Amino acid sequence: MAGVSLQCGDCGVLLKSVEEAQEHAELTSHSNFAESTEPVLNLVCTTCRKPCRSKTESDLHTKRTGHSDFSDCTSETAKPISLETPKPEPVSSASAAGAGVVEKEEEMIVPVVDAKLVEELESMGFSTARATRALHYSGNASLEAAINWIMEHENDADIDQMPMVPVSAKAEASKPSLTPEEAKIKAQELRERARKKKVEEEKKMEIEREKERVRIGKELLEAKRMEEENERKRLMAFRKAEKEEERKAREKIRQKVEEDKAERRRKLGLPAVDPTVSKPAAPVVQEKKSSLPIRPATKAEGMRNCLRSLKLNHKDEDAKVKRAFQTLLTYVGNVARNPDEEKFRKIRLSNPSFQDRVGSLKEGIEFLEVCGFEKIEGGEFLFLPRDKVDMAVLNSAGSELNSAIVNPFFGVL
């Protein structure tokens, strides 16, 4: 029996002609073809007249549309296959010249494809060029075939380039597209698939965002821990400096007491203490030096220097100095407890009570400026802007004022 089809040895599909085999080879890169006596099926739906070339295709059509009655027209369309590729008849130059034919390169145009299928693919997010190329190379048969072709060739370099074919190919009839029922069902399936894909992508993005939030949270906690550790080190250094200052003040007072004793012995006619008899020296305790770097507290040192200068400038007015310290502590405490209240952040310099308690004392206004207060309206007011309220600075100011009030040796040296 003569061969009526060509069978692909790689995938087993049956093809009607050499042209179909060439097109199949271009699309799939399959090259193993052999002549077969098995005809290509031609099952025509008696309801909508759609041709199906395989049992699988007819089952799919039945599943989508419910049409189950097919007419087998295979024997009517089967015919011996020709293995010779038709060649164009040569045109002699003489006859071409006599007929007025001018040899030129054939014009290339965009292939004709099903416009409805192009619209459906565009509605799914594909570009016009990609939709046209997919329909053309998938045989302009169905929406599913075009989608499958796009999925197989989405990495091609020319996937978004408009395909071009010779003008002669324009006359070729396009193959029948999906019925309205099939198109509706297919569009619903594709929309559902796209929705599921979007949901999965959103879940992945949410997981990534959660990981990023966790990472940022850990970094913030670590930064807070380091800041607390540095603050602890600065506080230890401050306490150590206070103790050293108290030790020096006590030593100075002890020396003064010894001098007073010697003076009283001299006035009473008692012999002076023999300086050659030395008292047992107290054991020298060698202090360990910390190897940890300590960041200088510039604001705290500035505040302490202002308070020391204020006390030294008014060393004979202890009550007035103490009242100034307590007044400054009240100003700082009011701002710390009520940072949003402007009345606590604004001080009139000409106020008699302020001038009597703080303004008339040297370094009193300077202390408030170190805390962040600024002179405004031509120097009539001291004002602390809300955005410059630093609770750490205010806390340091409170600590320095409290130390100056309760420490009897503050500012002695």
Side-chain angles (χ1 to χ4, degrees):
M1 183 177 178
V4 292
S5 65
L6 288 174
Q7 185 176 23
C8 178
D10 297 318
C11 62
V13 68
L14 295 176
L15 305 163
K16 289 183 178 181
S17 63
V18 174
E19 290 78 10
E20 283 191 3
Q22 290 176 344
E23 184 178 354
H24 180 76
E26 291 177 358
L27 293 175
T28 63
S29 301
H30 297 167
S31 59
N32 185 15
F33 297 92
E35 188 177 3
S36 174
T37 58
E38 182 181 355
V40 178
L41 284 179
N42 185 20
L43 303 176
V44 181
C45 179
T46 57
T47 304
C48 62
R49 307 304 301 172
K50 174 176 174 59
C52 299
R53 298 183 57 166
S54 66
K55 187 66 170 59
T56 303
E57 189 173 347
S58 64
D59 292 340
L60 182 61
H61 180 72
T62 301
K63 182 179 179 181
R64 290 176 175 172
T65 63
H67 303 164
S68 59
D69 191 9
F70 294 86
S71 176
D72 191 356
C73 301
T74 304
S75 59
E76 298 176 6
T77 57
K79 60 180 180 179
I81 189 170
S82 175
L83 299 179
E84 296 182 1
T85 304
K87 298 180 181 180
E89 296 181 3
V91 180
S92 62
S93 57
S95 60
V101 178
V102 180
E103 294 181 0
K104 63 178 181 179
E105 186 177 355
E106 190 171 6
E107 184 180 358
M108 304 293 286
I109 61 171
V110 177
V112 178
V113 295
D114 194 314
K116 292 183 179 180
L117 296 180
V118 172
E119 291 180 0
E120 292 182 13
L121 288 171
E122 288 178 344
S123 67
M124 296 176 191
F126 300 110
S127 64
T128 303
R130 185 173 293 202
T132 304
R133 178 174 288 272
L135 287 170
H136 172 65
Y137 286 112
S138 65
N140 198 31
S142 64
L143 189 65
E144 182 180 10
I147 294 292
N148 292 336
W149 189 91
I150 291 175
M151 293 177 66
E152 294 175 359
H153 298 81
E154 61 182 354
N155 295 325
D156 292 356
D158 58 351
I159 185 67
D160 288 313
Q161 296 180 8
M162 189 68 75
M164 305 297 290
V165 296
V167 177
S168 59
K170 185 177 181 181
E172 296 181 0
S174 61
K175 296 182 181 180
S177 61
L178 292 174
T179 62
E181 294 83 359
E182 290 179 319
K184 184 177 180 180
I185 294 173
K186 184 62 181 177
Q188 182 64 28
E189 290 179 357
L190 293 174
R191 281 194 293 270
E192 183 64 20
R193 189 187 305 169
R195 185 190 66 79
K196 290 181 179 180
K197 185 177 180 181
K198 184 177 180 180
V199 170
E200 292 177 357
E201 291 179 352
E202 288 179 352
K203 288 182 179 179
K204 292 181 180 179
M205 291 180 64
E206 182 62 27
I207 292 173
E208 292 298 325
R209 286 194 291 266
E210 183 62 26
K211 290 181 179 178
E212 183 66 14
R213 284 195 292 269
V214 171
R215 184 186 65 81
I216 293 175
K218 290 182 178 179
E219 291 181 355
L220 290 176
L221 288 175
E222 180 64 18
K224 183 178 180 181
R225 187 192 65 78
M226 293 179 64
E227 182 63 24
E228 291 176 351
E229 180 68 17
N230 291 335
E231 182 64 25
R232 186 183 64 82
K233 293 176 182 177
R234 288 195 296 271
L235 184 60
M236 290 176 62
F238 171 72
R239 298 302 182 197
K240 183 178 179 180
E242 274 191 338
K243 290 181 179 179
E244 179 64 19
E245 185 177 1
E246 292 176 3
R247 187 189 66 79
K248 291 180 179 179
R250 286 194 298 269
E251 181 64 22
K252 185 175 182 180
I253 293 173
R254 189 188 64 78
Q255 291 178 359
K256 181 67 175 175
V257 170
E258 293 293 333
E259 292 176 357
D260 291 344
K261 286 182 179 180
E263 181 65 19
R264 286 196 297 271
R265 292 177 68 86
R266 186 183 63 79
K267 289 180 179 180
L268 294 172
L270 298 174
V273 178
D274 189 0
T276 58
V277 179
S278 59
K279 296 181 179 180
V284 179
V285 179
Q286 187 175 3
E287 296 180 356
K288 296 182 180 179
K289 295 183 179 181
S290 175
S291 60
L292 295 175
I294 299 175
R295 188 173 62 185
T298 306
K299 288 279 186 181
E301 290 180 356
M303 296 172 190
R304 195 180 304 121
N305 291 336
C306 286
L307 297 178
R308 284 175 178 168
S309 299
L310 191 152
K311 187 169 184 178
L312 290 174
N313 292 330
H314 305 278
K315 58 184 177 179
D316 298 329
E317 301 173 281
D318 291 340
K320 193 172 185 179
V321 169
K322 187 173 182 180
R323 187 179 61 173
F325 288 171
Q326 292 173 341
T327 303
L328 291 172
L329 184 60
T330 302
Y331 282 127
V332 173
N334 287 339
V335 176
R337 287 188 294 271
N338 307 280
D340 295 326
E341 293 289 340
E342 184 177 345
K343 65 181 181 180
F344 295 124
R345 295 184 282 105
K346 191 172 184 178
I347 304 171
R348 183 186 294 274
L349 293 177
S350 59
N351 185 288
S353 177
F354 174 80
Q355 281 294 327
D356 180 55
R357 292 172 174 270
V358 176
S360 60
L361 277 70
K362 188 177 180 181
E363 299 295 335
I365 296 177
E366 286 78 1
F367 179 85
L368 292 173
E369 289 177 339
V370 174
C371 294
F373 284 83
E374 302 172 354
K375 290 182 179 180
I376 61 171
E377 299 183 15
E380 185 177 356
F381 292 92
L382 276 177
F383 181 68
L384 178 59
R386 178 63 183 87
D387 58 345
K388 293 186 178 180
V389 174
D390 191 337
M391 300 306 294
V393 173
L394 295 177
N395 290 336
S396 297
S399 298
E400 295 294 338
L401 287 167
N402 187 63
S403 176
I405 293 171
V406 301
N407 184 4
F409 305 108
F410 184 83
V412 173
L413 297 180

